[in-house]
Amino acid sequence: QVQLVESGGGLVQAGGSLRLSCVISGVGVSINAMDWYRQAPGSQRELVAQITSGGTTIYLDSLKGRFTIARDNAKSTVYLQMNGLKAEDSGVYYCHTRALFSGMEYWGKGTLVTVSS
């Protein structure tokens, strides 16, 4: 069983920065990629960024240059550094992963980011 716990959300002014963290716990499950998703009110959940165990990253095109995903395997933690925040970045940010062999998906409960304009 895998558990994901996000932290670091909050209220920030437009142009500000936040760093989200996701701690992964659990044993017996091999995972590869770790993702951050977000969901704004009335919108579908969308993939923000992904990082593989080898460090390969992908980003939502509109976020390139402002957001950076990183992982610390020793700390079982994945981070999302968000700079130059805009009001449209507001939403609940979720940590996500998928078991390597079974394909089972795991989600955190989310952390709320609110950007005031």
Side-chain angles (χ1 to χ4, degrees), residues 2-115:
V2 173
Q3 289 185 323
L4 309 176
V5 179
E6 305 96 334
S7 62
L11 174 64
V12 63
Q13 289 187 334
S17 299
L18 284 174
R19 189 176 80 153
L20 306 183
S21 299
C22 172
V23 178
I24 307 124
S25 63
V27 296
V29 177
S30 297
I31 61 173
N32 181 8
M34 295 293 305
D35 316 306
W36 284 100
Y37 281 76
R38 70 182 181 188
Q39 187 167 22
S43 299
Q44 289 188 331
R45 197 171 294 189
E46 62 180 355
L47 177 65
V48 171
Q50 180 186 83
I51 184 167
T52 68
S53 58
T56 301
T57 57
I58 60 171
Y59 296 93
L60 184 66
D61 279 347
S62 61
L63 301 177
K64 286 181 180 177
R66 294 196 297 122
F67 287 20
T68 303
I69 189 171
R71 67 193 286 173
D72 185 335
N73 291 328
K75 295 183 178 180
S76 299
T77 302
V78 62
Y79 304 97
L80 185 68
Q81 178 68 42
M82 306 186 294
N83 299 326
L85 284 163
K86 305 175 182 179
E88 53 263 41
D89 294 320
S90 297
V92 180
Y93 283 70
Y94 297 92
C95 189
H96 168 268
T97 192
R98 187 189 299 268
L100 191 60
F101 299 111
S102 71
M104 182 174 294
E105 293 188 80
Y106 300 94
W107 292 92
K109 293 183 178 180
T111 185
L112 179 63
V113 171
T114 304
V115 184

